[in-house]
Amino acid sequence: FQAEDGIRDSVASRGLGDVYKRQSCSRPQRTACRRAPPGRESPALSPSTPRRPVGSRAALSAVRGDADVRATLKSADAALRGLFAAYAKASPTRGVQILTFEDVLALCGDFDIAPSLVDADAILSLYRVVEKQKKARGLAYAQFLDLLALVARAALLDELATDAACVNALLYRWGLADPVRLEGLRRG
């Protein structure tokens, strides 16, 4: 401003879209950017809540043993099998369809999981945790489900209270269980 002479610099309006873009959100596509007032945080967001392990064998055991996580994955089984088939390749040594890390990264990129929710290094770390359990290269369908649960946990752990809620959000908020979106990706 040059208020002394009454002349003001003209600044073109950037529109409402820029106002929304400037609002801080730690992750894109969150359903809400609001934070609870101090002292009224939900248990999932409270700084005093101990973090559950994300990318470890303990985390893998936790999601495998969680009946709610398994039920959530089972409810989307047909869509997830289609998703797996769309990205998997035939293993020359195992005689089954497998996902390599590159396949997983492509899937995560197509569904805006990486880098929006979890970066490639974190996905690689999670992939290795799951892959080591079978001592074989690549992930079969069952290991793919384990990886999805770990990615959901890593991406949404601070936002949601249970692992099953994290998996549900990944499947439905980001469209992994949406056959229409998968068909669009196949055509695209």
Side-chain angles (χ1 to χ4, degrees):
F1 293 110
Q2 295 177 344
E4 311 70 59
D5 16 27
I7 301 172
R8 295 180 183 231
D9 294 337
S10 66
V11 177
S13 169
R14 296 185 295 176
L16 285 176
D18 288 334
V19 171
Y20 292 116
K21 288 177 192 170
R22 286 191 309 255
Q23 289 181 354
S24 63
C25 247
S26 61
R27 290 191 180 104
Q29 297 187 13
R30 273 197 166 164
T31 55
C33 293
R34 294 172 285 158
R35 296 263 186 229
R40 298 192 49 120
E41 295 95 352
S42 70
L45 296 177
S46 172
S48 63
T49 302
R51 286 185 64 87
R52 294 170 287 176
V54 174
S56 65
R57 288 187 304 191
L60 182 58
S61 294
V63 295
R64 280 184 176 163
D66 188 327
D68 291 335
V69 168
R70 290 288 152 212
T72 301
L73 290 169
K74 189 174 182 175
S75 72
D77 187 61
L80 291 175
R81 285 189 184 277
L83 182 67
F84 179 81
Y87 287 89
K89 296 176 180 73
S91 168
T93 58
R94 291 167 64 187
V96 296
Q97 294 285 96
I98 61 163
L99 283 178
T100 64
F101 175 67
E102 291 76 21
D103 301 329
V104 169
L105 214 50
L107 181 153
C108 289
D110 288 348
F111 285 86
D112 199 30
I113 294 166
S116 296
L117 295 175
V118 182
D119 64 37
D121 290 336
I123 292 172
L124 177 59
S125 173
L126 299 171
Y127 179 88
R128 286 181 175 158
V129 166
V130 174
E131 188 180 49
K132 282 182 185 177
Q133 296 301 305
K134 288 293 178 189
K135 297 178 177 82
R137 306 289 278 165
L139 304 182
Y141 180 70
Q143 291 78 44
F144 166 65
L145 296 180
D146 291 338
L147 180 65
L148 284 183
L150 288 178
V151 168
R153 183 179 221 193
L156 302 166
L157 183 64
D158 293 334
E159 192 175 326
L160 301 168
T162 67
D163 292 333
C166 293
V167 170
N168 191 54
L170 188 68
L171 294 179
Y172 296 102
R173 192 188 309 172
W174 275 271
L176 277 115
D178 183 358
V180 174
R181 183 160 181 199
L182 178 60
E183 189 59 36
L185 287 172
R186 284 181 182 163
R187 290 183 187 160

